[in-house]
Amino acid sequence: IGFQPGVYVLSRPLALPGGRAYVGLGSGETGAGVTFTQANGTNLYCLAASYEHLNAQNYASAPAYVSNINFDGNSANNTTGHGLIIQGYRSKVQDCSFYNLPQTAIIIADRTQSGANVTNTIVENRIVRPKISGTGQYGIWVQNLAGFTNTDGRISKGEISGTALDGIRLDRGAGWFLKDNHLYGCLGAGINAFNCWSTFIIGNEIDFFIQNAAATGFIGGISASLIGPRPTLIANNIISSTEPASGAHYQYLTVTGAGSTTTVAQITGNFIRGGYINTTTTQA
């Protein structure tokens, strides 16, 4: 399905059946090409989502392809609204922009809107070259609400900034590849990956995480928790930040085990640097 250039004002979420391509014709840059915009005061659940997710069908949809579309949450005139929710397998979101989202820009969901757990697997989804700026929650959220179904995907070459929470959050990081992403100005962590098992976090640049003067606790530029003996690789990332939050403890790179089994990680070639007042660089 090809969308002609223009602004499409939405008063209800778009339901996207699987097995189809949804392509914006023309330029995909913010403010040009095809833009889905939330209408003033509608406070939608989301702008667009898998048909199954919106219609209480608790299984993964067939692969869908979403490309070259801008998602404008119109947060100045709405208090709720995610951007795009995928409840499927082997789907691909490519060259899409997300901005002014009251909630999360992209969700890979393993539970329907009505709360039913997906009964088959949500695997091998790909998010390529997303541009995300200004969200009220996460930039990208890979959910793990249903158990062990949502694994093995890729997020690459993204530009993610101005998120109120983590730039990228993986509830279940097993089998996920995060590569060549640039995250900056996030109020939470840069990359927060839980339940890592054969997870790859490679070549990402994370600047100015936890840019929130009210933040407290221990928050990291990259945080990974491991669950088993299959190795996780964290390599060649650059992690840098100023530290304006007096109540927060900055942990630039944090790796922890589950405590109940042997866990393995290879950590190499990462460069960690504090604010510009620092004069030294640490390599891990």
Side-chain angles (χ1 to χ4, degrees), residues 132-154:
I132 298 170
S133 58
T135 72
Q137 294 180 344
Y138 305 108
I140 299 172
W141 181 15
V142 178
Q143 293 182 342
N144 182 38
L145 304 175
F148 302 96
T149 60
N150 198 351
T151 63
D152 301 284
R154 287 163 171 75

Side-chain angles (χ1 to χ4, degrees), residues 173-224:
W176 276 85
F177 289 72
L178 308 184
K179 187 176 181 182
D180 300 336
N181 298 288
H182 186 198
L183 301 99
Y184 56 95
C186 299
L187 299 189
I191 294 172
N192 207 354
F194 298 88
N195 299 298
C196 293
W197 165 290
S198 192
T199 304
F200 296 80
I201 303 174
I202 303 173
N204 302 282
E205 180 181 357
I206 300 171
D207 297 321
F208 307 113
F209 59 94
I210 326 180
Q211 297 302 291
N212 181 354
T216 59
F218 295 84
I219 310 176
I222 295 177
S223 295

Side-chain angles (χ1 to χ4, degrees), residues 63-80:
Y65 176 64
V66 182
S67 176
N68 215 38
I69 296 174
N70 304 313
F71 294 80
D72 176 7
N74 189 12
S75 57
N77 298 291
N78 291 281
T79 58
T80 63

Side-chain angles (χ1 to χ4, degrees), residues 39 92 100 129 189-190:
K92 187 175 185 180
N100 303 328
R129 291 186 296 274

